[in-house]
Amino acid sequence: MRVAIIGAGPAGLFLGAGLARRGHQVIAVERDPGPAADGSWPRRGVMQFHHAHAFRYQVVQALEQELPGALQRWLAAGAEPVRMRLPDGGEIPMGVRSRRMTFERALRATALHQPGVQVHCGHAEDVTRRHGRARGIRVDGTDLAADLVIDASGRAGRVTRSLRPAPASGGPCGIAYVDRQYQLHPGAEPGPLLSPIAWQADLDGYQAIIFLHEHGIFSVLLVRPTADPVLSQLRHEAAFTAACQAIPGLADWVHPDRSLPITPVLPGGPLLNAYRGQTGHDGRLALPGLVFVGDAVATTTPTFGRGIVTTLLQAQQLLRLTDEHGTDTDGIGESFDAWCTEQIKPWVDDHVHMDEATRRRWAGEDIDLGQPLPSDLILAATEADPHKWPRERYAMAGTGDVLRAVRIMPASSSRLGPGAGDGRQPLA
């Protein structure tokens, strides 16, 4: 088949290279020209590119299966696989320490070397149609014919926005964050860690999170409710620095004797938990011959590191379905929609529940014991009893059944005490 992909981010590049390996002719259209000659890569319009990321082990598995060359390039660039020790003394792969920039550079270089893949720098204006079906895309006034069109343009993609209704579930979660990257001095020991890949403090009305990357680089996130206008000032360097110094544990990481900032403070945009299927208002495919994938289907807040995983899980399934259905693009779209509803939507719903519960706790409300405990509190419960956190739930190896498998309830109280550090008002 001739396949046209809107967007050359992780979803578009992974799918494009995978489809080309199967003999399809692929053109991916992307406005970003890629890394500059001096190595810089502004990646304008892709906010999350420069922000904190955590890479779960499924990303390694996906690359091993489809694009081993990308995995080799990623590791050669410094990406650091890490493992988690279990209560029984065993270990399981946990994830990879890396910046998203490092990951995308490796993925892009591999895709560009894959025969059958062309990445075209241009502006996708529309999906061309004939007899009610997608037949290609219009790029800067020129029509590119295709048997299958894939929208991998992300949650903010505009080309196909009119084809689907508002998100079927989720929406703005009432949470925002700012972050900044630091790098440890040569030979400096890291600060306190709760896991091989992250550190987190749940404080009275906000959160502080550290994600570890390669070469001693780490990102500091300060996560707040959007309803608090004062903490929006954290986007200013002086305010961000003062807040970091006021939080026990985090202050150790950012002490000038241990590390130095290597980026400005990076404000994040509005955070969403949103799921949208392949159908329009009538329940049918929004446009036969067009498939949405990646953030165009599922978007989650970054606190649990599910974004790249849900994208690559979708991409792998879409590749399997093209193997199964061949040129039957309707069959591909319908089967993919059913699979995403069963396999991807529960993770979005879990984030909706978790982030709403977090926002309510920040407002001083009690935990609702009539509802399943949100995932972040189940994870917190493992500090008391590590056996209560099933491997499948951490690894995102199952679906809604895994998410419903664990119900841990506080023994005597519905009020969770915050960690050590100033509450939101003293911090403000």
Side-chain angles (χ1 to χ4, degrees):
M1 288 191 295
R2 296 169 300 174
V3 183
I5 301 177
I6 305 172
L13 291 172
F14 186 93
L15 269 171
L19 287 166
R21 289 179 63 236
R22 288 159 168 78
H24 302 288
Q25 292 298 309
V26 178
I27 182 168
V29 178
E30 169 66 58
R31 287 183 294 180
D32 188 284
D38 63 1
S40 62
W41 196 2
R43 202 77 167 94
R44 294 181 178 87
V46 185
M47 178 201 79
Q48 64 272 27
F49 182 76
H50 296 286
H51 286 269
H53 272 72
F55 291 88
R56 292 171 177 266
Y57 188 65
Q58 292 93 329
V59 177
V60 173
Q61 293 174 311
L63 294 180
E64 285 178 333
Q65 179 178 336
E66 287 292 337
L67 300 175
L71 178 58
Q72 293 167 8
R73 281 189 170 92
W74 192 24
L75 296 175
E80 303 172 13
V82 293
R83 302 178 68 84
M84 179 172 63
R85 184 171 294 278
L86 300 172
D88 60 10
E91 288 185 338
I92 59 171
M94 186 177 187
V96 178
R97 297 175 178 173
S98 174
R99 291 171 294 173
R100 173 155 172 170
M101 179 189 302
T102 306
F103 171 75
E104 280 207 38
R105 283 180 186 275
L107 186 56
R108 181 183 176 89
T110 303
L112 290 176
H113 283 85
Q114 174 62 50
V117 174
Q118 178 185 354
V119 177
H120 175 79
C121 185
H123 174 56
E125 302 170 342
D126 198 4
V127 177
T128 57
R129 314 172 197 188
R130 189 169 69 249
H131 305 307
R133 302 185 62 83
R135 290 301 184 188
I137 55 178
R138 183 168 297 117
V139 181
D140 297 323
T142 299
D143 289 349
L144 301 178
D147 304 300
L148 175 66
V149 176
I150 296 174
D151 184 352
S153 60
R155 75 179 196 187
R158 299 178 181 179
V159 180
T160 60
R161 183 176 296 175
S162 63
L163 296 176
R164 293 187 296 175
S169 63
C173 64
I175 294 174
Y177 73 95
V178 294
D179 68 344
R180 192 179 198 185
Q181 289 181 7
Y182 294 75
Q183 187 168 26
L184 295 170
H185 295 305
E189 292 294 324
L193 274 175
L194 296 179
S195 80
I197 206 166
W199 174 89
Q200 180 168 324
D202 294 291
L203 299 149
D204 187 8
Y206 65 104
Q207 290 176 327
I209 306 174
I210 290 175
F211 286 129
L212 275 65
H213 308 311
E214 76 279 13
H215 300 310
I217 298 171
F218 60 93
S219 292
V220 175
L221 287 78
L222 298 179
V223 190
R224 64 174 180 87
T226 55
D228 189 327
V230 176
L231 289 190
S232 68
Q233 302 303 310
L234 288 168
R235 69 184 184 275
H236 299 297
E237 180 177 331
F240 188 91
T241 300
C244 291
Q245 293 171 346
I247 299 171
L250 177 55
D252 297 332
W253 276 91
V254 300
H255 193 283
D257 290 343
R258 175 171 273 147
S259 64
L260 286 177
I262 60 173
T263 70
V265 178
L266 305 171
L271 295 179
L272 301 176
N273 291 310
Y275 177 83
R276 292 174 292 180
Q278 304 292 320
T279 59
H281 291 280
D282 58 2
R284 299 179 180 178
L285 291 176
L287 181 63
L290 169 66
V291 177
F292 304 89
V293 69
D295 281 357
V297 172
T299 303
T300 58
T301 58
T303 51
F304 260 39
R306 291 173 175 170
I308 295 292
V309 171
T310 56
T311 288
L312 295 192
L313 289 176
Q314 290 177 58
Q316 287 182 290
Q317 179 63 15
L318 195 50
L319 290 173
R320 284 190 286 266
L321 290 172
T322 58
D323 292 341
E324 178 182 341
H325 291 279
T327 59
D328 179 9
T329 57
D330 287 6
I332 292 172
E334 291 165 356
S335 298
F336 187 60
D337 188 52
W339 182 88
C340 286
T341 300
E342 179 182 349
Q343 302 281 357
I344 299 298
K345 185 175 182 294
W347 297 106
V348 179
D349 293 341
D350 182 62
H351 247 294
V352 170
H353 175 54
M354 177 169 58
D355 290 338
E356 173 61 15
T358 297
R359 188 194 62 77
R360 292 169 66 92
R361 293 200 305 273
W362 285 351
E365 299 180 30
D366 292 343
I367 300 168
D368 184 354
L369 301 185
Q371 296 290 326
L373 204 64
S375 288
D376 61 329
L377 296 190
I378 294 178
L379 183 59
T382 65
E383 295 178 15
D385 185 354
H387 295 280
K388 290 185 179 295
W389 183 258
R391 298 185 187 195
E392 293 82 0
R393 190 179 181 114
Y394 174 79
M396 295 177 62
T399 59
D401 291 337
V402 171
L403 288 167
R404 291 186 289 268
V406 180
R407 289 178 63 92
I408 305 171
M409 292 300 175
S412 59
S413 173
S414 59
R415 180 64 56 88
L416 184 72
D422 285 341
R424 189 168 73 239
Q425 293 309 315
L427 184 73

